[in-house]
Amino acid sequence: MTDLGDALWQAAVIMATGMVVVFVFLSILIFLVHLLAKFAPADQIEEPTAAKPAVTQNQNAIKPDVIAAISAAVHQYRQAKSTS
């Protein structure tokens, strides 16, 4: 078995090496992102076009016969539930 001091020293060297590698990688990544931001064109914001015409109330309204059918179905359901 090796000396505990040697094992701790080797662990510290491996940890420091890993931290340096990650730091260097992230630094290069940040540099490349900034470089890309300088060369890539910025997104152009499109100006809004003419407003769409307002939808008339009749197009979105529920037809009266549909409302009547739903009301009749709810009424029948409630009557069936109350008698059970």
Side-chain angles (χ1 to χ4, degrees):
M1 213 161 132
T2 61
D3 188 31
L4 182 61
D6 290 337
L8 287 175
W9 179 254
Q10 186 179 9
V13 168
I14 291 172
M15 180 186 68
T17 304
M19 291 174 68
V20 168
V21 167
V22 169
F23 179 78
V24 169
F25 173 76
L26 291 176
S27 298
I28 292 171
L29 184 66
I30 290 171
F31 172 74
L32 290 175
V33 167
H34 283 289
L35 188 67
L36 180 65
K38 287 184 181 182
F39 289 118
D43 291 337
Q44 304 223 352
I45 300 174
E46 296 180 16
E47 294 185 21
T49 57
K52 295 180 181 176
V55 178
T56 60
Q57 190 66 16
N58 292 337
Q59 291 177 348
N60 289 335
I62 300 174
K63 296 179 182 176
D65 56 343
V66 174
I67 293 174
I70 292 172
S71 298
V74 169
H75 181 68
Q76 285 180 352
Y77 175 78
R78 287 182 179 169
Q79 279 186 343
K81 278 295 204 183
S82 65
T83 59
S84 297

